[in-house]
């Protein structure tokens, strides 16, 4: 929330404006006061889109939906102007942070709080659905944590039972990561799509991470359709309920009544200590806007509230890792912090991919001056098996079906598509070692490689470019084709328009990164060897929802300091490839 600007009007209709609550996808949202003294949230459509028929239709639909749904779980409509510019609608103001803001500020919620919130939101959806309305854009930004319970807001793309589909112009329906597969693939909108969004929303609440990662919208949507939701570190029963809500088959998802039953709530949400603490922070805003305290009172939240497009900032310096719950003890003394569990780290040295019986004999320790293929001590010891990162990924280093199996061909493709989720992450240690968090999907008995600084192979950290050398041992028994591609992924999701991490959110990288052209190492023409330079020989290749290919050049290492991950892939097709080894290197 911020003070009014000189360019803002003093009044909208009969409402006196008090402050800015934020900017939504359709326009500016203000805090206002009705003639009778009631606080209201006023959404004013942007001037630049008032002439667009579809935008106006979407705005009018929101007003009509809010007017029709008189629920304890929605902010009721107070007033609206829908016939002439400026177009606006005013709803009752709900004091409290959005779920997005609360988690972004204080970290993931404990399992017990999540269950109570899960049940309350399911009850809210059941109430909305009873009016014949599907919300279509349920997400953490559209849930306000109010004093009586959570409130659903922003019905801008809601769909009634008798209405045809209507999306915001220039965009796909819903929000990437929260939109159900049947909506993305077939535009089939029904109550089950809201259940999917509810599951994704609760995954965010329970982990503090985007449920299907961040990055290019097409890649996030691809993960929502084909990948697994991120519930790493979530209490098993809660994780199972979340996963049930996001299964691909909408008919197999639980209805809200079943969700409530499985949550087994035995007390009011407001009695939950964590939820109550979130509401208690609301009074801190009075110092932000001098002169408004006597008018607003202690009920306003700290920070953005009614902001449909708000994205949590988090801690820009520390991406949250797998399983990390970052509830800040400086603000909360209710429980201890759950630490990020990370293995040791391997720096830019030689690596040896599984040889004797699949046993890893090298893990990326320092190897300055060693001849190619010679092993060095492991930086951290064995990797522990964890949940597979993608469909078909095994929890051991034994052979298993590669991701996307069946989609490729025997011929060696000229690239691999990055439209898949990958949670392979390498983390370095202060001692100069390191390890990856997931085991390989396939064994690679004869493959050897090295990853070193291009200018100084003995360097513990990389500065400018990376040299990657991959080759098959001379006595290998592999028959062609034996195609290999290398993926190099930055620590964070990258905004391809700036070639740097997103400014608004620092999430760990959920993609396969920038990849090299596959090379058939079993073909005599290749000599069984390939030397690559990052970033020169790497790019990211995606396919959007319309089937159009997109290529993004690899970013400079300096654009995203931290622990970079290098994954070697056995390639059978454009969409068919498997992790055969993972290592990494630190960038300062």
């Amino acid at each position: 929330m911020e003070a009014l600007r000189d360019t803002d009007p003093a009044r909208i209709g009969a409402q006196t404006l008090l402050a800015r609550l934020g900017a939504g996808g359709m326009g500016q949202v203000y805090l206002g006061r009705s003639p009778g003294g009631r606080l209201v949230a006023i959404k004013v459509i942007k001037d630049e889109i008032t002439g667009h028929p579809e935008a106006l239709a979407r705005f009018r639909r929101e007003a009509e939906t809010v007017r029709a749904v008189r629920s304890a779980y929605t902010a009721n409509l107070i007033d609206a102007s829908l016939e002439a510019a400026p177009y606006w609608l005013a709803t009752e103001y709900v004091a409290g942070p959005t779920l997005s803001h609360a988690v972004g500020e204080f970290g993931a919620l404990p399992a017990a709080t999540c269950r109570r919130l899960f049940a309350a939101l399911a009850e809210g959806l059941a109430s909305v659905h009873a009016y014949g309305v599907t919300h279509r854009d349920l997400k953490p930004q559209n849930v306000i944590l109010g004093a009586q319970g959570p409130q659903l807001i922003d019905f801008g793309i809601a769909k009634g039972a008798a209405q045809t589909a209507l999306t915001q112009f220039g965009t796909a329906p819903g929000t990437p990561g929260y939109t159900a597969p049947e909506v993305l693939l077939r535009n089939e909108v029904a109550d089950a799509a809201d259940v999917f969004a509810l599951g994704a929303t609760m995954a965010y609440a329970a982990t503090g991470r985007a449920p299907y990662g961040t990055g290019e919208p097409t890649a996030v949507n691809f993960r929502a359709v084909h990948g697994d939701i991120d519930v790493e570190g979530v209490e098993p029963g809660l994780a199972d309920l979340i996963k049930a809500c996001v299964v691909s088959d909408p008919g197999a998802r639980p209805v809200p009544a079943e969700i409530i039953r499985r949550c087994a709530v035995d007390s009011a949400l407001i009695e939950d200590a964590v939820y109550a603490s979130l509401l208690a922070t609301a009074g801190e805003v009075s110092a932000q806007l001098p002169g408004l305290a006597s008018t607003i009172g202690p009920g306003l939240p700290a920070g953005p509230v009614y902001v449909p497009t708000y994205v949590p900032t988090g801690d820009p310096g520390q991406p949250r890792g797998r399983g990390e719950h970052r509830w800040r003890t400086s603000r909360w003394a209710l429980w201890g912090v759950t630490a990020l569990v990370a293995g040791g780290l391997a720096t830019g040295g030689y690596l040896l991919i599984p040889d004797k019986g699949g046993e890893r004999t090298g893990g990326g320790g320092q190897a300055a001056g060693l001849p190619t293929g010679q092993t060095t001590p492991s930086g951290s010891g064995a990797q522990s098996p964890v949940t597979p990162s993608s469909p078909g990924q095994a929890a051991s280093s034994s052979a298993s079906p590669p991701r996307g199996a069946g989609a490729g061909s025997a011929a060696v493709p000229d690239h691999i598509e990055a439209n898949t989720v990958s949670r392979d992450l390498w983390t370095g240690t202060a001692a100069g070692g390191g390890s990856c968090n997931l085991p390989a999907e396939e064994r690679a008995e004869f493959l050897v490689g090295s990853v070193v600084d291009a200018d100084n192979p003995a360097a513990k950290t990389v500065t400018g470019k990376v040299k990657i050398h991959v080759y098959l041992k001379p006595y290998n028994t592999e028959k062609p084709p034996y195609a290999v591609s290398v993926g190099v992924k930055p620590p964070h999701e990258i905004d391809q328009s700036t070639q740097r991490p997103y400014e608004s959110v620092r999430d760990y990288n959920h993609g396969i990164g920038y990849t090299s052209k596959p090379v058939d190492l079993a073909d005599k023409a290749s000599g069984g060897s390939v030397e690559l330079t990052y970033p020169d020989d790497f790019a990211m290749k995606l396919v959007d929802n319309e089937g159009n290919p997109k290529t993004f050049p690899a970013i400079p290492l300096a654009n995203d300091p931290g622990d970079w991950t290098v994954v070697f892939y056995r390639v059978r097709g454009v969409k068919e490839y498997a992790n055969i080894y993972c290592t990494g290197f630190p960038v300062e």
Side-chain angles (χ1 to χ4, degrees):
M1 188 179 70
E2 60 180 279
L4 293 174
R5 301 175 185 175
D6 293 339
T7 55
D8 290 325
R11 304 173 67 86
I12 293 289
Q15 329 298 323
T16 301
L17 300 190
L18 303 176
R20 284 178 161 229
L21 291 178
M26 293 293 292
Q28 182 65 45
V29 184
Y30 296 99
L31 175 68
R33 185 181 65 240
S34 73
R38 187 173 188 176
L39 292 177
V40 293
I42 307 168
K43 179 186 287 188
V44 183
I45 195 170
K46 295 177 182 177
D47 291 339
E48 58 266 32
I49 60 177
T50 56
H52 198 288
E54 189 175 2
L56 290 178
R58 181 176 184 262
F59 189 72
R60 290 185 175 118
R61 168 177 285 183
E62 179 176 8
E64 293 164 0
T65 301
V66 175
R67 178 183 285 115
V69 179
R70 308 294 293 182
S71 169
Y73 303 93
T74 62
N76 293 322
L77 185 70
I78 302 299
D79 197 2
S81 175
L82 308 175
E83 301 303 324
Y87 302 95
W88 56 270
L89 64 85
T91 61
E92 60 181 338
Y93 175 74
V94 180
T98 62
L99 177 60
S100 175
H101 178 73
V103 174
E105 180 69 19
F106 303 109
L109 306 181
T113 305
C114 283
R115 289 180 184 278
R116 295 185 178 100
L117 181 61
F118 213 150
L121 288 173
E123 194 171 61
L125 278 184
S127 175
V128 170
H129 292 168
Y131 285 88
V133 172
T134 304
H135 189 287
R136 297 186 74 195
D137 201 20
L138 175 61
K139 56 186 176 182
Q141 297 94 316
N142 287 344
V143 174
I144 295 181
L145 306 181
Q148 301 303 316
Q151 300 278 300
L152 302 175
I153 63 172
D154 199 358
F155 284 81
I157 60 173
K159 180 180 178 182
Q163 294 172 317
T164 58
L166 179 66
T167 65
Q168 182 177 358
F169 67 97
T171 65
T175 299
Y178 299 91
T179 305
E182 67 271 17
V183 179
L184 293 170
L185 298 175
R186 302 178 297 275
N187 201 25
E188 294 178 359
V189 181
D191 293 351
D194 281 349
V195 172
F196 179 96
L198 174 59
T201 296
M202 292 312 304
Y204 170 81
T207 66
R209 304 184 294 269
Y212 291 97
T214 57
E216 293 297 314
T218 53
V220 176
N221 284 336
F222 183 92
R223 297 168 200 154
V225 174
H226 301 288
D228 294 330
I229 195 165
D230 180 7
V231 288
E232 182 69 23
V234 178
E235 185 271 324
L238 178 60
D240 288 343
L241 180 54
I242 290 172
K243 288 188 284 188
C245 290
V246 299
V247 295
S248 297
D249 180 6
R253 297 172 198 151
V255 297
E258 174 64 13
I259 295 173
I260 295 170
R261 185 193 68 79
R262 291 178 62 174
C263 288
V265 171
D266 58 2
S267 61
L269 178 60
I270 191 61
E271 296 174 2
D272 182 274
V274 175
Y275 191 89
S277 297
L278 284 171
L279 297 180
T281 67
E284 299 176 9
V285 78
S286 58
Q288 297 183 18
L289 297 173
L292 288 183
S294 62
T295 302
I296 298 177
L300 283 175
V305 180
Y306 191 88
V307 188
T309 58
Y310 177 74
V311 177
T313 301
D315 185 347
Q318 297 292 333
R320 299 176 200 167
R322 297 166 58 89
E324 179 185 15
H325 287 184
R326 187 179 56 89
W327 196 270
R328 297 179 183 170
T329 52
S330 61
R331 299 293 298 275
W332 310 102
L334 300 175
W335 56 85
V337 176
T338 302
L340 167 65
V341 178
L345 304 157
T347 158
Y350 279 81
L351 60 93
L352 179 64
I353 297 174
D355 192 347
K356 300 177 182 179
E359 179 182 0
R360 290 195 174 108
T361 55
Q366 292 304 109
L370 290 178
T372 303
Q374 187 168 337
T375 64
T376 60
S378 171
S380 64
Q383 300 173 5
S384 58
V386 295
T387 304
S389 69
S390 61
Q393 181 166 337
S396 71
S397 60
S398 59
S400 62
R403 69 192 78 200
S409 65
V412 177
D414 66 352
H415 71 280
I416 60 175
E417 287 184 7
N419 297 62
T420 189
V421 70
S422 169
R423 298 195 177 102
D424 295 301
L425 292 174
W426 181 88
T427 312
T429 63
S435 70
C436 290
N437 60 332
L438 297 178
E441 296 174 289
E442 290 188 12
R443 290 175 55 186
E445 297 186 48
F446 305 104
L447 195 68
V448 180
S450 64
V451 180
V452 296
D453 185 281
D455 297 322
N456 181 12
K460 292 186 178 181
T461 59
V462 178
T463 54
K465 294 186 178 182
V466 173
K467 284 290 185 184
I468 302 172
H469 185 208
V470 188
Y471 77 101
L472 281 176
K473 295 178 181 179
Y475 52 84
N476 79 85
T477 58
E478 300 291 350
K479 296 181 180 180
Y482 189 87
V484 172
S485 175
V486 179
V488 179
K489 55 188 290 185
H492 306 98
E493 291 281 5
I494 299 298
D495 182 348
Q496 300 301 338
S497 64
T498 64
Q499 289 202 320
R500 296 179 181 275
Y502 286 91
E503 294 183 359
S504 56
V505 59
R506 290 292 184 100
D507 198 5
Y508 72 89
N509 198 318
H510 294 71
I512 67 171
Y514 303 95
T515 57
S516 64
K517 180 179 180 179
V519 175
D520 184 1
L521 297 180
D523 186 348
K524 293 182 179 180
S526 70
S529 174
V530 61
E531 185 175 87
L532 305 165
T533 300
Y534 182 91
D536 301 358
D537 300 321
F538 291 79
M540 180 185 294
K541 294 184 180 292
L542 298 168
V543 176
D544 63 21
N545 291 337
E546 286 73 40
N548 301 314
K550 292 186 176 182
T551 300
F552 300 97
I555 69 170
L557 297 176
N559 284 15
D560 191 17
D563 291 335
W564 285 59
T565 303
V566 179
V567 180
F568 291 69
Y569 293 105
R570 170 74 184 275
V571 179
R572 294 179 175 85
V574 172
K575 299 180 181 179
E576 186 181 347
Y577 46 92
N579 175 346
I580 52 180
Y581 197 78
C582 172
T583 185
F585 56 88
V587 174
E588 291 184 350

